[in-house]
């Protein structure tokens, strides 16, 4: 089962780390975690995908949903450190622009 | 069922979301037996396989929701020198849409990318309805 | 193949030692789908299944070692309200010994316990040679 | 894949911890580990089975082989903290006497 570690940086940015496979069952839980963060007013979110070994269209859907609600709340959702599996899905779905992956968690909100 | 490939792995199981983990385990076994398959080929094949299975589990039984017991699927996966091949069969309802109509949805859509992603990932994806069964076949020409 | 049980899991794969992990994964899936099966029943069933599979992988193909490609087995596992059932088929050589002759070896023996252990673990273990195939069937009456 | 952690107690007893499934492939490696210990003169061995989730006849064979070579070298092999799966196999094979399991690693050589 996938685990969701959530941390907060000194700058108040929430960092979510989906570890393992981000598939149908996990996507539902990620969506809840992201909704919970935005609901708590934590609308600047980095999804650190260094340990996300697999991503499918439902996981992608959860990321897009999180991105939209973070933006609606005046924040943003950014993706950092995608694995090869994650990068492949982003590029096959032409989402590398809207989910432009960042190299580090620290710099994800620098621009 | 990818005849002629003696290394193939065949699984038949109830069409439930929990079985997705088992299909991942089947693929892990395939990669262990074929450690020369390039990572790029594994990634796109595994993703397409899981998308098609996810659709079977989610959509193929939607209306026919009375008789949970008989909702089953089978899958066969194999690696040859040149190809990765998967075939699925299930006894659910026919697919409602035509594969040639499949397109990637809007950037901010939250769903509807499964088939488009699977088609983009593999070199060939086909669907047929035969004898009351849905048959899916996926082929990746090995790049690595 | 444990007909009549729609929750059964069927796997067909090459008869190699690496497949033992996959059969463990199949059983994990069975326990997930049937979380009411008592731990004692899971333990003895899983052990017997793995012993029989280990023997197929180790012994059933011993002499016939020229044609690795076609060495395959299939297994079907299922849980009903009252029983856990597994059946194996393989196209290897016939079993050399009679199950009624199987006995637990000497305490300090380093091998030869597989079949005796499987027989002690389950409530019924049967072997048949049919149409050039070995057929094994294991049944545990659920205690838990 | 099963892991074999090996430690030495202050009393010079080697503690081997097979973690995961002790099946055919793992049994071969356990036999090597045990042979290596006895070969190095470390003939008092505790096999701590607290994290051995599965045991089959080949794993049992490796334990018996280790027991015999430890005894031949003037030492012994003792089993501690068996899981239910391990205890079931010991009892079905009538080996609870010869592989009499101990409750703790510390006290395994007390008698
Ligand atoms: N196996 C299937 N059986 C029946 N209908 C299907 C199947 N797979 C896909 N579909 C139909 O095609 C549509 C698009 O599927 P897909 O691209 O995977 O996106 P999503 O699953 O997110 O809707 C589904 O909404 C469904 O109507
Ligand atoms: N599937 C099989 N096919 C052929 N022979 C078998 C099979 N299973 C067991 N045997 C024979 O029965 C013997 C006893 O098997 P077993 O009790 O599992 O102990 P071990 O495998 O340690 O020898 C084996 O040595 C082998 O000769």
């Amino acid at each position: 089962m996938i685990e969701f570690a959530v941390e907060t940086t000194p700058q108040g940015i929430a960092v979510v780390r989906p570890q393992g496979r981000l598939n149908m069952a996990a996507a539902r839980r990620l969506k809840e975690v992201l909704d919970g963060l935005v609901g708590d007013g934590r609308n600047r979110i980095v999804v650190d995908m260094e340990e996300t070994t697999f991503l499918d269209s439902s996981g992608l859907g959860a990321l897009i949903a999180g991105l939209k609600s973070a933006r609606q709340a005046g924040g943003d959702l950014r993706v950092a450190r995608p694995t090869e599996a994650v990068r492949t899905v982003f590029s096959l779905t032409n989402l590398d622009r809207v989910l432009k992956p960042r190299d580090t968690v620290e710099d994800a909100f620098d621009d | 069922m990818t005849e002629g490939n003696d290394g193939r792995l065949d699984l038949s199981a109830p069409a439930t979301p929990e079985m997705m983990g088992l299909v991942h385990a089947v693929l892990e076994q395939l990669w262990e037996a074929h450690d020369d398959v390039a990572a790029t080929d594994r990634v796109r094949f595994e993703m397409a396989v899981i998308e098609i299975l996810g659709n079977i589990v989610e959509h193929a039984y939607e209306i026919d929701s009375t008789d949970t017991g008989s909702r089953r699927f089978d899958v066969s996966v194999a690696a040859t020198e040149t190809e990765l091949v998967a075939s699925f069969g299930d006894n659910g309802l026919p697919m409602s849409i035509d594969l040639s109509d499949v397109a990637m949805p809007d950037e901010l859509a939250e769903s509807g990318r499964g088939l488009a992603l699977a088609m983009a990932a593999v070199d060939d994806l086909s669907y047929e309805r035969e004898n009351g069964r849905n048959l899916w076949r996926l082929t990746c020409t090995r790049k690595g």
Side-chain angles (χ1 to χ4, degrees), chain A, chain B:
Chain A
M1 247 308 148
I2 198 159
E3 297 284 328
F4 292 102
V6 183
E7 273 171 43
T8 308
T9 67
Q11 292 76 37
I13 295 166
V15 182
V16 183
R17 297 197 157 86
Q19 295 166 320
R21 292 182 193 126
L22 191 41
N23 55 20
M24 239 201 282
R28 220 163 288 149
R29 289 175 51 216
L30 176 61
K31 201 170 172 320
E32 285 166 21
V33 169
L34 297 176
D35 283 350
L37 287 172
V38 174
D40 288 349
R42 300 168 67 187
N43 54 35
R44 296 201 302 159
I45 302 170
V46 178
V47 181
D48 178 5
M49 305 191 80
E50 192 190 21
E51 295 178 53
T52 308
T53 54
F54 180 82
L55 176 69
D56 67 9
S57 65
S58 53
L60 207 52
L63 290 175
I64 295 289
L67 174 87
K68 290 198 304 197
S69 56
R71 286 186 182 172
Q72 267 155 25
D76 202 1
L77 177 145
R78 298 189 174 180
V79 168
R81 306 199 292 172
T83 53
E84 177 171 1
V86 171
R87 272 184 281 116
T88 303
V89 174
F90 286 4
S91 96
L92 289 173
T93 52
N94 307 316
L95 288 174
D96 347 43
R97 205 190 52 83
V98 59
L99 288 172
K100 188 179 136 201
R102 320 285 161 144
D103 292 340
T104 68
V105 172
E106 291 68 33
D107 304 340
F109 269 92
D110 278 5
D111 58 272
Chain B
M1 294 254 100
T2 53
E3 245 105 38
N5 189 318
D6 289 332
R8 77 182 185 283
L9 301 174
D10 302 335
L11 176 74
S12 164
T16 59
E18 302 87 57
M19 293 305 150
M20 309 201 64
L22 190 50
V23 173
H24 278 293
V26 167
L27 289 172
E28 264 172 33
Q29 212 51 66
L30 188 70
W31 308 143
E32 207 170 294
H34 297 272
D35 54 11
D36 58 327
V37 177
T40 49
D41 291 332
R42 295 178 191 206
V43 163
R44 64 198 186 97
F45 183 69
E46 185 147 357
M47 210 220 326
V49 162
I50 293 296
E51 289 295 344
I52 298 302
L53 177 61
N55 278 341
I56 292 173
V57 167
E58 253 192 323
H59 302 299
Y61 297 97
E62 260 166 0
I63 307 175
D64 180 24
S65 63
T66 42
D67 174 28
T68 48
S70 61
R71 300 174 179 191
R72 293 183 62 83
F73 74 97
D74 51 59
V75 59
S76 176
V77 297
T80 70
E81 292 286 299
T82 54
E83 287 180 340
L84 305 176
V85 190
S87 51
F88 283 93
D90 72 81
N91 55 352
L93 298 169
M95 247 263 287
S96 45
I97 62 165
D98 193 317
L99 284 190
S100 57
D101 294 337
V102 169
M104 203 61 78
D106 181 73
E107 275 188 345
L108 293 180
E110 292 176 29
S111 67
R113 281 189 189 85
L115 285 173
L117 180 52
M119 286 176 77
V122 301
D123 296 285
D124 193 58
L125 174 69
S126 71
Y127 167 80
E128 271 178 275
R129 180 82 181 174
E130 212 178 84
N131 299 323
R133 287 176 67 77
N134 299 309
L135 301 177
W136 294 89
R137 174 173 277 270
L138 294 78
T139 311
C140 283
T141 305
R142 288 173 62 176
K143 307 270 151 56

